[in-house]
Amino acid sequence: MRSTVSGYTALSKAHKFSAAGLVTAAGAAALTFALVPQASAADAHSAGVKPVALSAQEFGVTQDGELAKAADDAAVKAGVDAKAAVKAKADAEAKAKADRERASRSTERKALKPAAKPAPAKPAAKPAAPAKKAYADNLDGWISESLDVLRSKGIPASYEGIKRNIMRESTGNPRAINDWDVNAVNGVPSKGLLQIIDPTFKAYHVEGTSWDIYDPVANITASCNYAADKYGSMDNVNSAY
């Protein structure tokens, strides 16, 4: 049967029965939901099921709690991290200080270690003394040795002048003595190769020679020293002097 209202079509009998069934089913479902008691929060927790907020207000409270707990956890973790960072910094500073102290002690120990003493320098070897010149033990040797002494003292004389006067005064005898002239009379006889008296020998003795008036070299040297003072050189003496 069609509807008498413009634009609408009347439902058939079959459609009416279907709609009525839907309404009846919906009513039954609502009644069943109302009769079943709600599960408690404890039952949901024991079953591992997170309770569902039944209202917008309850949902907001639950979310705020979770956010606060997350913030607390983050703050605790930040505090732990900060303490760990402080401890790590302190440990690093302590290690660096210990390293510096060890290095300083090591440097001090090295500085305190006595330096090795240098080996004492060996004394320089003394130059060998020149070998003493050897002279013959005769008239030529005595004159030669006396001339070396005279030259070292700057006293003039020559081999020829010395030998000539020796041969006239003593004929080359180093022990010759005059016991008859005026000197002998006065108690101071002339002695030796060049017949010199004791006072004159002592006054003109040359250092480095013997004090024995009969020593050939000492007698020649003292006599030449006296002749150089009185005559300029033994070379200028040609008679008693």
Side-chain angles (χ1 to χ4, degrees):
M1 175 177 183
R2 302 183 65 86
S3 174
T4 58
V5 179
S6 176
Y8 292 91
T9 303
L11 296 176
S12 65
K13 186 182 290 185
H15 288 167
K16 290 178 180 180
F17 282 122
S18 298
L22 291 173
V23 172
T24 302
L31 180 61
T32 303
F33 181 81
L35 293 177
V36 177
Q38 293 184 359
S40 67
D43 293 338
H45 180 73
S46 63
V49 178
K50 187 175 182 180
V52 180
L54 299 180
S55 66
Q57 183 179 3
E58 185 177 353
F59 176 78
V61 171
T62 303
Q63 187 178 42
D64 289 344
E66 291 178 353
L67 291 175
K69 184 177 183 301
D72 290 342
D73 292 343
V76 170
K77 185 177 185 302
V80 171
D81 292 344
K83 289 181 179 180
V86 171
K87 185 177 184 302
K89 182 179 179 181
D91 291 344
E93 291 177 350
K95 183 177 182 302
K97 182 179 178 180
D99 291 342
R100 289 194 298 271
E101 290 178 352
R102 281 195 297 272
S104 177
R105 287 195 297 271
S106 176
T107 302
E108 290 174 358
R109 284 195 296 272
K110 289 180 180 178
L112 292 175
K113 184 178 180 181
K117 293 182 179 179
K122 293 182 179 179
K126 292 182 179 179
K132 188 175 181 179
K133 186 176 180 179
Y135 300 94
D137 189 18
N138 55 32
L139 183 58
D140 287 341
W142 301 332
I143 295 173
S144 296
E145 185 173 355
S146 179
L147 280 170
D148 286 343
V149 175
L150 291 169
R151 292 190 189 102
S152 70
K153 304 297 182 180
I155 301 170
S158 70
Y159 182 91
E160 291 77 11
I162 294 172
K163 188 172 182 180
R164 182 182 73 244
N165 282 285
I166 286 175
M167 296 308 293
R168 186 188 68 249
E169 295 291 335
S170 67
T171 66
N173 179 9
R175 304 298 298 184
I177 184 170
N178 186 322
D179 56 3
W180 55 266
D181 65 3
V182 66
N183 290 324
V185 173
N186 293 328
V188 282
S190 302
K191 300 175 182 178
L193 289 174
L194 284 169
Q195 293 293 287
I196 188 171
I197 62 177
D198 285 324
T200 304
F201 174 79
K202 290 177 182 178
Y204 288 91
H205 174 266
V206 177
E207 184 180 358
T209 63
S210 172
W211 282 93
D212 181 2
I213 195 170
Y214 289 106
D215 180 86
V217 175
N219 188 284
I220 294 170
T221 308
S223 298
C224 288
N225 191 26
Y226 167 76
D229 181 47
K230 299 301 182 181
Y231 305 101
S233 171
M234 183 62 76
D235 294 350
N236 299 328
V237 177
N238 294 299
S239 62
Y241 60 105

